[in-house]
Amino acid sequence: MKKILLLVAAGVLILGACADPSATEESEKKAPTSERDESNTEKTENEEPKETEQPFKPLEPSENAVSLKESLSDMEQQEIPDMQAALGGNPERSVPAGETLAKGVKDPSDGPLKDHRLVAYYGTPDSENMGILGELEPEEYMKKLKEQTQAYSDADPDRPAVPTIELITTMAQSEPGPDGDYVRMTSEENIERYVELAEKHDALVLLDVQLGTDTVMEQVKMIDKWLKHPHVHLAIDTEFHVAEGEKPGEDLGQVDGKEIQKAVEYVSELTEKNDLPDKFVLVHQFTGDVLTNKEVIQPTDNVEVAINFDGWGASADKQALYGKYIRDEPKQYGAFKIFYDKDVPVLEPEDVLKMEPSPAIINYQ
């Protein structure tokens, strides 16, 4: 795993991102063939917009859950944590504690992030080394995911949380493989298994692509048929996108925001043409270098955008860098990744929610 040395306020922090792409055995990538559904594309000028119900159920707060505004002290409601201001940010809040949208940012959609918080467990059934999803059988995994999700519903009952499966769908590899793109795809059977698991539990699915030397749009089109499911959304791992002659995990990757925007607009069109509930796209970023032209990434009327700070290391420094890459470079929503085995300490939900803006998505690895 590529690591990057970051100088932060109190000292030097080593942050890495998701995991070592060489952790799994090389096998042939299987890309499903799918055609985009061109039906229902013609709409009359006077047709009313169709309201499509979101296919999930948040976990209801416990009876004794207390509003975040009541649980925070007056100072905590006025000031962001010191560590978030460590890189020069303003210590005064620009939005109320618990608010997930940055100041001046709007969400015209009816997507999952507008009124809810998502809690995701990351990984792949192909590896125990890349997240909790690969460590547990599906039902046991879902049980633990719901327990962690419930903690966030209780910590902020005004924004109930939704359990979300983040499945690595195309995984970067240290060897080029049969297609020469340093990526292999998990089996269609595994994807279907977790899509059905989410449907069974009224949860959501994030299909994560890691790119290798392939393009963002080629990877997105490979999972096109699953993105047509109402409860399936897209995540893009920027650090694993390397140039020809480079290897994921040895060389730090990079994605141009223009390519991310193409994916956002593609998902937007897919959503509209198939009369799907509004969706979201999650973009992983653990340092500035992995995401260029970030300013061009914009949500649409039916697709929300969240930037996920996913480095690992000292939690205080992670909170500071969340301030740098999320608060100070607002897109629409922020997300925050927690590593159970690598963060020191592992933050409690109450500490996560105090950051500004409050993360709309918290994913665990």
Side-chain angles (χ1 to χ4, degrees):
M1 166 52 56
K2 185 79 176 179
K3 295 182 180 177
I4 182 165
L5 199 61
L6 298 170
L7 185 60
V8 180
V12 176
L13 164 68
I14 297 180
L15 287 180
C18 304
D20 187 347
S22 63
T24 60
E25 296 182 0
E26 180 71 32
S27 65
E28 183 175 358
K29 176 178 65 179
K30 298 180 180 179
T33 58
S34 61
E35 298 294 331
R36 298 183 68 190
D37 185 356
E38 299 297 333
S39 65
N40 300 320
T41 58
E42 298 297 327
K43 297 183 181 291
T44 65
E45 291 184 1
N46 297 324
E47 183 179 348
E48 292 293 330
K50 181 179 179 181
E51 293 186 5
T52 308
E53 183 179 358
Q54 285 286 351
F56 63 81
K57 292 181 181 179
L59 298 189
E60 294 299 324
S62 303
E63 290 185 4
N64 59 349
V66 177
S67 170
L68 187 65
K69 293 180 180 179
E70 295 181 31
S71 64
L72 296 181
S73 67
D74 291 341
M75 180 176 292
E76 288 172 323
Q77 293 189 45
Q78 296 296 323
E79 297 182 356
I80 60 175
D82 290 341
M83 62 282 291
Q84 193 173 342
L87 293 177
N90 189 337
E92 297 295 324
R93 289 188 181 275
S94 58
V95 296
E99 175 60 58
T100 55
L101 284 170
K103 184 178 181 179
V105 177
K106 306 295 183 182
D107 182 357
S109 79
D110 292 314
L113 306 181
K114 193 166 189 174
D115 298 309
H116 302 90
R117 182 171 280 108
L118 310 188
V119 179
Y121 271 179
Y122 177 97
T124 168
D126 295 330
S127 172
E128 296 182 358
N129 299 318
M130 295 192 69
I132 194 169
L133 188 147
E135 299 172 3
L136 303 171
E137 291 300 315
E139 288 297 337
E140 184 182 1
Y141 160 89
M142 185 56 70
K143 181 176 181 292
K144 284 188 174 293
L145 172 57
K146 285 185 174 180
E147 290 172 354
Q148 185 65 78
T149 303
Q150 186 67 55
Y152 282 90
S153 283
D154 292 346
D156 186 6
D158 296 326
R159 187 175 291 273
V162 181
T164 304
I165 299 168
E166 186 168 2
L167 174 67
I168 303 171
T169 313
T170 57
M171 186 187 307
Q173 302 289 293
S174 59
E175 299 297 329
D179 295 328
D181 56 8
Y182 291 88
V183 175
R184 75 176 178 90
M185 187 166 185
T186 192
S187 69
E188 293 194 36
E189 291 78 12
N190 273 337
I191 297 175
E192 288 291 351
R193 180 178 297 116
Y194 284 91
V195 169
E196 291 174 2
L197 181 69
E199 188 173 19
K200 175 183 176 182
H201 289 274
D202 298 313
L204 295 175
V205 178
L206 259 175
L207 295 184
D208 185 281
V209 293
Q210 291 190 347
L211 305 175
T213 58
D214 207 353
T215 67
V216 172
M217 285 310 304
E218 284 298 320
Q219 292 287 295
V220 172
K221 289 177 181 179
M222 285 170 56
I223 59 174
D224 179 282
K225 78 174 190 179
W226 289 290
L227 289 173
K228 293 177 183 177
H229 285 254
H231 58 292
V232 176
H233 305 262
L234 173 65
I236 301 171
D237 252 325
T238 54
E239 71 186 86
F240 294 114
H241 183 236
V242 295
E244 294 293 336
E246 296 181 338
K247 291 183 179 182
E250 293 183 11
D251 300 287
L252 183 63
Q254 185 178 85
V255 173
D256 191 319
K258 296 176 183 177
E259 301 305 309
I260 300 290
Q261 189 60 24
K262 288 179 185 178
V264 171
E265 292 171 1
Y266 181 85
V267 174
S268 179
E269 184 179 358
L270 190 75
T271 300
E272 181 178 355
K273 287 187 174 182
N274 292 277
D275 290 323
L276 297 168
D278 291 352
K279 291 184 178 287
F280 70 93
V281 173
L282 178 71
V283 183
H284 289 271
Q285 178 186 14
F286 85 103
T287 184
D289 293 339
V290 300
L291 185 57
T292 63
N293 290 316
K294 186 177 179 180
E295 67 278 0
V296 306
I297 304 173
Q298 298 295 332
T300 69
D301 286 348
N302 60 2
V303 175
E304 300 165 316
V305 170
I307 306 297
N308 183 52
F309 180 73
D310 71 348
W312 55 264
S315 291
D317 294 335
K318 287 182 57 174
Q319 289 172 287
L321 289 165
Y322 177 88
K324 178 179 181 180
Y325 295 123
I326 308 301
R327 183 189 190 224
D328 297 342
E329 300 175 0
K331 289 288 91 189
Q332 191 178 34
Y333 290 100
F336 189 76
K337 181 176 255 191
I338 294 175
F339 289 76
Y340 280 125
D341 297 331
K342 294 182 178 180
D343 285 355
V344 183
V346 174
L347 293 176
E348 295 295 331
E350 293 78 6
D351 296 316
V352 174
L353 300 185
K354 286 189 289 188
M355 292 190 290
E356 185 190 11
S358 186
I361 303 172
I362 303 94
N363 45 9
Y364 287 80
Q365 181 170 335

